[in-house]
mmCIF file of all heavy atoms in Angstrom:
data_model
loop_
_atom_site.group_PDB
_atom_site.id
_atom_site.type_symbol
_atom_site.label_atom_id
_atom_site.label_comp_id
_atom_site.label_asym_id
_atom_site.label_seq_id
_atom_site.Cartn_x
_atom_site.Cartn_y
_atom_site.Cartn_z
ATOM 1 N N PRO A 168 94.070 71.459 106.468
ATOM 2 C CA PRO A 168 94.101 70.227 107.256
ATOM 3 C C PRO A 168 95.128 69.207 106.789
ATOM 4 O O PRO A 168 95.189 68.107 107.330
ATOM 5 C CB PRO A 168 92.685 69.679 107.063
ATOM 6 C CG PRO A 168 92.318 70.119 105.689
ATOM 7 C CD PRO A 168 92.960 71.472 105.499
ATOM 8 N N VAL A 169 95.916 69.537 105.786
ATOM 9 C CA VAL A 169 96.884 68.601 105.226
ATOM 10 C C VAL A 169 98.277 69.016 105.646
ATOM 11 O O VAL A 169 98.624 70.198 105.633
ATOM 12 C CB VAL A 169 96.771 68.556 103.689
ATOM 13 C CG1 VAL A 169 97.859 67.687 103.098
ATOM 14 C CG2 VAL A 169 95.411 68.042 103.277
ATOM 15 N N GLY A 170 99.096 68.036 106.029
ATOM 16 C CA GLY A 170 100.469 68.292 106.428
ATOM 17 C C GLY A 170 101.382 67.202 105.935
ATOM 18 O O GLY A 170 100.939 66.174 105.404
ATOM 19 N N HIS A 171 102.677 67.432 106.101
ATOM 20 C CA HIS A 171 103.690 66.473 105.661
ATOM 21 C C HIS A 171 104.379 65.873 106.876
ATOM 22 O O HIS A 171 104.679 66.575 107.851
ATOM 23 C CB HIS A 171 104.724 67.142 104.756
ATOM 24 C CG HIS A 171 104.155 67.632 103.463
ATOM 25 N ND1 HIS A 171 103.826 66.788 102.425
ATOM 26 C CD2 HIS A 171 103.833 68.880 103.046
ATOM 27 C CE1 HIS A 171 103.338 67.487 101.421
ATOM 28 N NE2 HIS A 171 103.333 68.767 101.780
ATOM 29 N N LEU A 172 104.635 64.603 106.794
ATOM 30 C CA LEU A 172 105.362 63.932 107.863
ATOM 31 C C LEU A 172 106.799 64.423 107.878
ATOM 32 O O LEU A 172 107.400 64.665 106.817
ATOM 33 C CB LEU A 172 105.338 62.419 107.650
ATOM 34 C CG LEU A 172 103.977 61.736 107.862
ATOM 35 C CD1 LEU A 172 104.062 60.278 107.444
ATOM 36 C CD2 LEU A 172 103.540 61.846 109.309
ATOM 37 N N PRO A 173 107.393 64.582 109.046
ATOM 38 C CA PRO A 173 108.789 65.032 109.108
ATOM 39 C C PRO A 173 109.725 63.985 108.552
ATOM 40 O O PRO A 173 109.434 62.788 108.563
ATOM 41 C CB PRO A 173 109.013 65.262 110.611
ATOM 42 C CG PRO A 173 108.012 64.387 111.280
ATOM 43 C CD PRO A 173 106.810 64.364 110.381
ATOM 44 N N ASP A 174 110.862 64.459 108.031
ATOM 45 C CA ASP A 174 111.866 63.537 107.517
ATOM 46 C C ASP A 174 112.457 62.719 108.658
ATOM 47 O O ASP A 174 112.460 63.126 109.823
ATOM 48 C CB ASP A 174 112.992 64.305 106.813
ATOM 49 C CG ASP A 174 112.485 65.022 105.574
ATOM 50 O OD1 ASP A 174 111.492 64.545 104.990
ATOM 51 O OD2 ASP A 174 113.079 66.054 105.212
ATOM 52 N N GLY A 175 112.981 61.553 108.328
ATOM 53 C CA GLY A 175 113.612 60.722 109.347
ATOM 54 C C GLY A 175 113.187 59.286 109.207
ATOM 55 O O GLY A 175 112.427 58.893 108.320
ATOM 56 N N ASP A 176 113.651 58.486 110.098
ATOM 57 C CA ASP A 176 113.345 57.069 110.097
ATOM 58 C C ASP A 176 111.870 56.865 110.390
ATOM 59 O O ASP A 176 111.303 57.495 111.285
ATOM 60 C CB ASP A 176 114.193 56.363 111.157
ATOM 61 C CG ASP A 176 114.129 54.849 111.006
ATOM 62 O OD1 ASP A 176 113.189 54.372 110.348
ATOM 63 O OD2 ASP A 176 115.006 54.172 111.564
ATOM 64 N N ALA A 177 111.236 56.012 109.629
ATOM 65 C CA ALA A 177 109.810 55.751 109.834
ATOM 66 C C ALA A 177 109.527 55.224 111.229
ATOM 67 O O ALA A 177 108.416 55.338 111.732
ATOM 68 C CB ALA A 177 109.305 54.759 108.785
ATOM 69 N N ARG A 178 110.532 54.642 111.869
ATOM 70 C CA ARG A 178 110.314 54.105 113.212
ATOM 71 C C ARG A 178 110.424 55.177 114.281
ATOM 72 O O ARG A 178 110.153 54.916 115.450
ATOM 73 C CB ARG A 178 111.335 52.996 113.478
ATOM 74 C CG ARG A 178 111.150 51.765 112.583
ATOM 75 C CD ARG A 178 112.295 50.804 112.732
ATOM 76 N NE ARG A 178 113.536 51.401 112.241
ATOM 77 C CZ ARG A 178 114.720 50.786 112.267
ATOM 78 N NH1 ARG A 178 114.819 49.554 112.763
ATOM 79 N NH2 ARG A 178 115.799 51.390 111.796
ATOM 80 N N THR A 179 110.867 56.374 113.891
ATOM 81 C CA THR A 179 110.982 57.451 114.874
ATOM 82 C C THR A 179 109.598 57.851 115.365
ATOM 83 O O THR A 179 108.702 58.132 114.571
ATOM 84 C CB THR A 179 111.683 58.670 114.246
ATOM 85 O OG1 THR A 179 112.946 58.262 113.746
ATOM 86 C CG2 THR A 179 111.866 59.765 115.278
ATOM 87 N N ALA A 180 109.428 57.914 116.653
ATOM 88 C CA ALA A 180 108.109 58.197 117.234
ATOM 89 C C ALA A 180 107.890 59.703 117.312
ATOM 90 O O ALA A 180 107.865 60.293 118.391
ATOM 91 C CB ALA A 180 107.996 57.563 118.614
ATOM 92 N N SER A 181 107.734 60.332 116.150
ATOM 93 C CA SER A 181 107.432 61.759 116.129
ATOM 94 C C SER A 181 105.975 61.971 116.519
ATOM 95 O O SER A 181 105.158 61.044 116.472
ATOM 96 C CB SER A 181 107.686 62.317 114.729
ATOM 97 O OG SER A 181 106.776 61.744 113.809
ATOM 98 N N PRO A 182 105.596 63.198 116.941
ATOM 99 C CA PRO A 182 104.189 63.443 117.325
ATOM 100 C C PRO A 182 103.209 63.072 116.216
ATOM 101 O O PRO A 182 102.161 62.493 116.488
ATOM 102 C CB PRO A 182 104.181 64.946 117.618
ATOM 103 C CG PRO A 182 105.581 65.259 118.018
ATOM 104 C CD PRO A 182 106.454 64.362 117.202
ATOM 105 N N ALA A 183 103.541 63.406 114.957
ATOM 106 C CA ALA A 183 102.621 63.091 113.865
ATOM 107 C C ALA A 183 102.464 61.584 113.695
ATOM 108 O O ALA A 183 101.346 61.085 113.466
ATOM 109 C CB ALA A 183 103.122 63.723 112.567
ATOM 110 N N ARG A 184 103.552 60.852 113.822
ATOM 111 C CA ARG A 184 103.450 59.403 113.663
ATOM 112 C C ARG A 184 102.695 58.772 114.828
ATOM 113 O O ARG A 184 101.970 57.781 114.643
ATOM 114 C CB ARG A 184 104.852 58.804 113.518
ATOM 115 C CG ARG A 184 105.564 59.281 112.251
ATOM 116 C CD ARG A 184 106.877 58.548 112.026
ATOM 117 N NE ARG A 184 107.594 59.117 110.889
ATOM 118 C CZ ARG A 184 107.352 58.823 109.627
ATOM 119 N NH1 ARG A 184 106.391 57.963 109.327
ATOM 120 N NH2 ARG A 184 108.055 59.379 108.655
#
Side-chain angles (χ1 to χ4, degrees):
V169 175
H171 295 285
L172 290 173
D174 295 333
D176 192 341
R178 294 171 295 179
T179 303
S181 65
R184 296 187 186 278

